[in-house]
Amino acid sequence: MFKTIVLRSLALAILLGFSPLSFALSLYPSLVQGACITDGTVYSMVKSGETIYLGGEFNYIGPDTGYGATVNDLGVLSGAFPKMNGIIRVIIDDGSGGWIIGGDFTKVGATTRLHLARINAAGTLDANFHPDPDGSVWALKRVGTTLFVGGDFTHIGGFARNFIAAANLATGGVSSSWAPETNNRVRAIEFANSTVFLGGDFVTVHGENRGHLAAVNTSNGAPLGNWVANANSTVECLAVSGSTLYAGGSFTLVNTTTRNRIAAFSVSTGAVNSTWNPDSWGNVSAIAVGSGVIYVGGSFSHIGGLDRENLAALNTTSGAAIANWRADADGAVHSLTLSAWNLYIAGRFSHISGKDRRGLAAVYTFSGAVEEFDPNPNLDAWAIAVSGSKLCVGGEFYMLNGQWRHNLAAVDRFGSHILPWRPDPNYGVFAMTMSGSTLYVGGKFSSIGGANRLRLAAFDTLTGNVMNWSPNPDGEVRALLINGSTLFAGGYFHNIGSQAHMHVAAMNKDTGVPIGSFNASPNDGVKALALSGSTLYIGGDFTTVGTTARLHLAALTTGGTLVNGWLANADRNVNALAAYGGYLYAAGNFESVTNYIAAGGDPHPASPPPSPNKYIVKLALSDGAIQSWNPQPDNVVSGLAIEPPNIYFCGIFHYVGISEHHFLAGANLVTGAVSNWNPNPDYYIYGLYIKDHMLIAGGEYSNMGTDFRPHLSLFALQAPASDWDHYE
């Protein structure tokens, strides 16, 4: 029997992405790898069967790729690629099936890499390559075994190098002799005729005047004396075709020749091509040279004599826009890359030729028709490169292959697959609960699932359809709880439908009709509900229930009558409640709790002293008596979840007792002893939920420890027994 259980547990460990040994020996919750993340705060979660429902204030949910990834020719994630913790601005292939990456990042996976990294063909970080420039990298050019690097840095590889340097591709060692020394950012680098061409924000190179565009030698980086093509504003991109250098940017004049934002030059002399003049009505940020055609991208509305939105194909002889080629982008284009008959595009757009394509797209080079390639990043893309059948993409995004889901979404039980259900409430979701196959959702929305529903709605999870169920509270719903045929709701409302119900209400879960006799009437918001037997516990901002003083905590019968024998008063708001084993755990903004009300409602009389519990407290379910249990978080606690022997809590604290625990911690239910588990998120967590031995944490954070995991994390607490049977 023991052998069978171990095998089942190992099978589950492998499925969750843990090594079998680490899973078997771990005493603490283990972060589930491969779960989705969101682009905004998650406040509420509920699990039913094989589905996890997520509510909050977000617009997109998807795999947590970090700021770059490799994809196939359809845009589907393909192959290993380490997570980077900052924007990727430029990508080139390394000539060996891997990639050179530049940008704003400082880590690749758990390894420090400042702004520049090499990723091997296997998708792993090259441990030998670490020039570590001290500022962002914007431009890369590989020539044989030499890598030219441009950006915002002033030091790289142990050398002082202002904005431009050359490094050995294999070792990352920086050239000791090549130092053009520009006075500002280098944005573009090209190479031809044994000459390195630079474009950017600079106006001097090696101490000589060179306005935004320069040609330098390969020996020491000095500017070529006979090559002068001074632009009057930034050069953002460069491309070479034969004896011609193309430049794009924000300039309007080169030397004394008018050239609006795009121009062609002689590679050998720097002379402006007198006949090639597309005359762009807006900045040009990307150029790709095709066979007899120049593809350009940027922020323009007219180029080559024709209206073209941000993307165009130009004749190589005259610069005229090709009339039968059109692929308008509805936002800026940052990068272009060619591969056979495909033109790959990265930028800030959401449509190409009217088709949904967010940030990344591909069009046919011969027609401009949009291809199936659709990685669907959550934010803008800056870079795209091709190597064989692989593509590498990067930018401001940190999710790819996700889905647009506004404020409410459903994923599988491990959080790795997004389900097609898309109710899209128009405002935030703060509370959810399940009863059978019905999902109840509360928040501040006014429409959901294609129907008008004010702040409270019900869904049939078998069909995904919103139900004909509409209590219509007149204010936000912050808490929901089911008891038999009754749904309890707490929040900041005064009425449910046409009936007066202040801040807490009970209604028939099937019809949504409020129970008129339930009328506790706290005088301010109810943010938390908990149930034990026939007693409903409420927590929130209130200071009276009906006409009776109750400071932020109260016990009611399920019929709505105040339980007079239960008394525990907090001096400030209560945010969360959880009932277990004869006790009520309460968390919030409070700094003291008492078991009495003094004359005038003062919770701080001189004698007897209040409880030392700050932000979290354990109370008897029977009478509210304060227990000698105190984990001692040093700031507000916003959420609670229980799986014996522990209670997990989250908030905005940094210490629990004398131990450093940022925003998320656990403690023993009986003793209050703080768990050694320390996931260390980097910002606030607002909601916790546990079911089937899975802890789900939602909030505003970006990282969970060293893992980039914005807003949503799943932790396996132990191997679920139901899964043991599954893997027999």
Side-chain angles (χ1 to χ4, degrees):
M1 179 65 180
F2 174 76
K3 180 179 179 182
T4 303
I5 290 175
V6 168
L7 288 174
R8 293 167 181 165
S9 299
L10 291 177
L12 177 69
I14 293 167
L15 181 63
L16 291 176
F18 311 130
S19 74
L21 181 63
S22 67
F23 188 92
L25 298 181
S26 175
L27 299 178
Y28 308 113
S30 300
L31 187 65
V32 175
Q33 300 297 327
C36 290
I37 56 174
T38 63
D39 68 346
T41 304
V42 174
Y43 292 107
S44 179
M45 321 87 178
V46 67
K47 183 174 183 287
S48 178
E50 301 292 296
T51 302
I52 298 171
Y53 298 93
L54 306 168
E57 293 179 312
F58 52 82
N59 293 301
Y60 185 101
I61 180 169
D64 58 330
T65 59
Y67 291 83
T70 50
V71 298
N72 64 19
D73 58 4
L74 292 177
V76 177
L77 289 167
S78 177
F81 195 83
K83 292 180 188 175
M84 299 188 184
N85 71 339
I87 294 171
I88 292 173
R89 299 194 180 275
V90 58
I91 303 169
I92 63 171
D93 74 275
D94 71 351
S96 301
W99 315 96
I100 308 295
I101 313 290
D104 302 351
F105 54 86
T106 57
K107 282 187 177 293
V108 178
T111 304
T112 298
R113 280 294 183 275
L114 301 182
H115 314 297
L116 182 60
R118 182 176 183 177
I119 309 301
N120 296 316
T124 57
L125 178 67
D126 185 333
N128 298 318
F129 183 89
H130 48 91
D132 288 344
D134 62 357
S136 297
V137 169
W138 286 72
L140 296 169
K141 182 67 179 180
R142 176 176 59 85
V143 181
T145 60
T146 300
L147 178 71
F148 296 100
V149 184
D152 289 330
F153 52 85
T154 56
H155 291 81
I156 181 172
F159 290 90
R161 289 290 183 271
N162 290 323
F163 309 107
I164 180 71
N168 182 280
L169 187 62
T171 67
V174 171
S175 168
S176 60
S177 58
W178 196 81
E181 299 296 301
T182 65
N183 72 326
N184 209 331
R185 177 188 296 166
V186 172
R187 293 175 176 264
I189 307 171
E190 261 297 351
F191 182 86
N193 242 17
S194 300
T195 302
V196 182
F197 298 95
L198 309 177
D201 300 337
F202 57 84
V203 293
T204 66
V205 179
H206 219 278
E208 298 185 29
N209 291 331
R210 289 294 187 276
H212 308 286
L213 182 60
V216 301
N217 69 38
T218 55
S219 57
N220 65 1
L224 302 186
N226 62 346
W227 205 102
V228 179
N230 290 316
N232 68 339
S233 190
T234 299
V235 170
E236 298 182 32
C237 56
L238 296 171
V240 170
S241 178
S243 61
T244 302
L245 172 73
Y246 297 94
S250 58
F251 55 85
T252 57
L253 195 70
V254 180
N255 291 336
T256 59
T257 303
T258 297
R259 283 293 183 270
N260 288 319
R261 305 170 188 91
I262 187 166
F265 305 86
S266 166
V267 163
S268 57
T269 68
V272 177
N273 186 311
S274 61
T275 60
W276 199 84
N277 186 12
D279 191 28
S280 175
W281 296 7
N283 291 3
V284 172
S285 304
I287 300 174
V289 178
S291 178
V293 61
I294 306 296
Y295 300 96
V296 296
S299 302
F300 49 80
S301 59
H302 186 96
I303 192 169
L306 296 176
D307 289 341
R308 292 291 186 267
E309 294 292 333
N310 306 315
L311 187 59
L314 306 176
N315 182 283
T316 54
T317 303
S318 65
I322 297 173
N324 62 355
W325 196 100
R326 188 158 190 174
D328 287 345
D330 63 356
V333 170
H334 298 318
S335 178
L336 297 173
T337 298
L338 283 166
S339 177
W341 56 80
N342 309 301
L343 176 66
Y344 293 100
I345 310 154
R348 186 169 281 132
F349 49 84
S350 55
H351 297 86
I352 300 285
S353 295
K355 290 190 176 182
D356 288 337
R357 291 293 186 274
R358 174 64 184 264
L360 289 163
V363 299
Y364 289 111
T365 56
F366 50 84
S367 66
V370 180
E371 299 188 53
E372 293 301 311
F373 177 79
D374 187 15
N376 193 28
N378 68 305
L379 288 173
D380 304 340
W382 277 89
I384 185 166
V386 179
S387 178
S389 61
K390 297 187 300 181
L391 294 98
C392 188
V393 296
E396 297 175 27
F397 65 83
Y398 47 89
M399 289 180 274
L400 279 180
N401 292 176
Q403 299 292 329
W404 296 100
R405 296 289 187 270
H406 300 294
N407 307 316
L408 187 58
V411 295
D412 74 338
R413 61 178 175 155
F414 296 123
S416 57
H417 296 291
I418 306 158
L419 303 184
W421 184 62
R422 187 174 178 176
D424 282 353
N426 62 333
Y427 288 104
V429 169
F430 304 133
M432 294 188 290
T433 193
M434 290 289 307
S435 178
S437 61
T438 302
L439 171 68
Y440 298 92
V441 179
K444 61 179 181 180
F445 51 83
S446 58
S447 69
I448 187 170
N452 293 327
R453 295 289 187 272
L454 296 179
R455 306 172 189 92
L456 190 55
F459 286 88
D460 180 347
T461 59
L462 300 179
T463 65
N465 295 329
V466 66
M467 298 171 65
N468 186 21
W469 185 93
S470 188
N472 289 337
D474 63 356
E476 291 182 13
V477 173
R478 290 281 178 164
L480 295 171
L481 188 150
I482 288 283
N483 180 38
S485 62
T486 302
L487 173 69
F488 296 101
Y492 292 88
F493 49 82
H494 292 162
N495 299 279
I496 299 282
S498 60
Q499 295 188 26
H501 289 277
M502 297 282 289
H503 306 298
V504 65
M507 63 202 79
N508 183 287
K509 71 179 181 67
D510 297 320
T511 66
V513 175
I515 299 171
S517 59
F518 186 100
N519 201 1
S521 297
N523 69 333
D524 208 341
V526 170
K527 298 195 285 187
L529 301 171
L531 187 72
S532 179
S534 60
T535 304
L536 176 69
Y537 300 90
I538 63 173
D541 302 342
F542 55 85
T543 55
T544 64
V545 176
T547 59
T548 305
R550 286 293 186 272
L551 304 182
H552 310 294
L553 280 165
L556 311 174
T557 68
T558 51
T561 303
L562 185 67
V563 178
N564 289 314
W566 195 94
L567 188 60
N569 291 285
D571 67 339
R572 294 180 187 172
N573 302 347
V574 169
N575 299 324
L577 297 171
Y580 181 81
Y583 299 100
L584 179 72
Y585 298 84
N589 301 46
F590 54 82
E591 296 189 355
S592 69
V593 181
T594 63
N595 284 133
Y596 55 87
I597 293 285
D602 181 6
H604 299 293
S607 177
S611 160
N613 289 75
K614 290 184 177 183
Y615 312 117
I616 190 168
V617 67
K618 180 179 179 180
L619 309 167
L621 286 173
S622 57
D623 58 7
I626 300 164
Q627 307 300 298
S628 57
W629 178 92
N630 194 358
Q632 297 182 310
D634 70 344
N635 212 326
V636 172
V637 174
S638 55
L640 299 170
I642 291 174
E643 172 150 310
N646 295 317
I647 182 167
Y648 299 92
F649 52 97
C650 64
I652 62 175
F653 51 82
H654 293 281
Y655 279 83
V656 181
I658 61 172
S659 301
E660 191 171 359
H661 287 270
H662 298 285
F663 312 118
L664 180 58
N668 186 276
L669 282 163
V670 177
T671 66
V674 181
S675 168
N676 290 331
W677 177 62
N678 195 353
N680 199 30
D682 63 354
Y683 206 61
Y684 303 160
I685 292 181
Y686 294 124
L688 296 176
Y689 177 83
I690 290 177
K691 190 172 182 181
D692 298 333
H693 312 297
M694 187 78 77
L695 170 66
I696 307 174
E700 285 189 66
Y701 59 91
S702 294
N703 296 284
M704 187 64 70
T706 59
D707 280 79
F708 182 72
R709 193 64 63 88
H711 310 297
L712 180 65
S713 297
L714 278 64
F715 297 89
L717 301 180
Q718 65 182 71
S722 60
D723 285 309
W724 293 352
D725 291 338
H726 182 72
Y727 292 107
E728 267 189 327

